[in-house]
Amino acid sequence: MTIKQISVYIENRKGRLAEATRYIADHQINLKALSIADSQDFGILRLICENPQETNEILREGGYLTRLNNVLAVSIADKPGTLAGILDVLAAAEVDVEYTYAFLSSKGGAYMIFRVTDNAAAQAALDASGIHTASQEDIF
């Protein structure tokens, strides 16, 4: 199963990230996880939050360029080799990982977010290996 991630495109200039996060805070949006990647001209702020559809609309109303993506959230154990095992399963299924990042849940436990080239193939491979993927409800 997949969860929704919001990608927010922001200019790569001083204060712009602060403005975006202030806008999010002013609208009482609680972020569960975030990741930021940048290039010379812009950054991509990736967000996991409780109400992604509503949050996406709020951001668009604020003038932000956004995109909703389906990503996989995989529950991970806090022990050496857990990530390597997940990546081995995905590689064996010939699923490319575009990016990944991690966060801790307030419900307890840790999760890795995976953006992959084929969610269905990744899900099938993970299921067959007994690796749990989380729903939006599991996380929140």
Side-chain angles (χ1 to χ4, degrees):
M1 70 193 68
T2 60
I3 65 169
K4 296 288 185 189
Q5 169 193 267
I6 304 168
S7 296
V8 184
Y9 301 89
I10 55 177
E11 293 174 87
N12 193 3
R13 64 176 174 86
K14 189 185 301 185
R16 197 66 177 126
L17 180 59
E19 290 170 9
T21 57
R22 172 54 46 209
Y23 183 82
I24 290 167
D26 288 347
H27 285 84
Q28 303 300 305
I29 298 166
N30 188 22
L31 301 178
K32 187 62 74 173
L34 71 81
S35 172
I36 189 160
D38 71 337
S39 69
Q40 187 77 8
D41 299 321
F42 68 95
I44 304 172
L45 179 62
R46 295 182 173 108
L47 310 173
I48 303 294
C49 59
E50 191 166 7
N51 299 305
Q53 299 283 3
E54 179 182 330
T55 298
N56 191 55
E57 289 305 313
I58 289 169
L59 287 164
R60 285 179 177 241
E61 288 168 7
Y64 291 93
L65 177 61
T66 65
R67 181 177 180 169
L68 275 173
N69 293 312
N70 290 319
V71 294
L72 296 170
V74 179
S75 177
I76 59 169
D78 184 15
K79 63 181 185 180
T82 302
L83 176 59
I86 294 167
L87 293 172
D88 287 343
V89 168
L90 296 175
E94 297 185 5
V95 174
D96 291 332
V97 176
E98 294 177 7
Y99 58 83
T100 186
Y101 56 97
F103 71 96
L104 298 174
S105 172
S106 57
K107 286 184 161 183
Y111 293 90
M112 292 288 301
I113 300 296
F114 290 91
R115 172 75 170 165
V116 296
T117 54
D118 186 338
N119 282 329
Q123 183 70 59
L126 294 170
D127 286 346
S129 296
I131 297 172
H132 174 69
T133 56
S135 68
Q136 208 87 24
E137 294 77 27
D138 291 335
I139 294 171
F140 295 97

